[in-house]
Amino acid sequence: SLGFSAGRLLFIAGVLVSLGSVMLASGLLIALLPLFAGFLLFEQTKGLFFGWAKSIAFLFFAGIAASAMLTIQANVMNSW
């Protein structure tokens, strides 16, 4: 009983940390959008904008992957 209780707490903590960090980073990068949109106007700083866009795309896919992995883990744990 104690093991299952501790496992549940660790699972909830893992969910909050993994999804929370992705959402926090995404929110920070979205808040910086006006700055990086200005970088698109100049030829020398276009690389910074495209790097920012890649980071947004990677965080989008990281959120999907984390949700999928946690769903699979919850389904495996649900059978016990």
Side-chain angles (χ1 to χ4, degrees), residues 31-70:
L32 292 173
L33 172 63
L35 176 69
F36 283 97
F39 287 160
L40 189 60
L41 297 173
F42 304 105
E43 191 64 37
Q44 294 86 4
T45 58
K46 278 189 180 181
L48 290 172
F49 174 79
F50 291 123
W52 173 86
K54 271 198 284 188
S55 298
I56 287 287
F58 287 144
L59 284 170
F60 173 74
F61 291 122
I64 291 173
S67 297
M69 286 189 302
L70 291 170

Side-chain angles (χ1 to χ4, degrees), residues 19-34:
L19 292 178
S21 62
V22 169
M23 295 300 159
L24 184 67
S26 297
L28 179 67
L29 286 180
I30 289 172
L32 292 173
L33 172 63

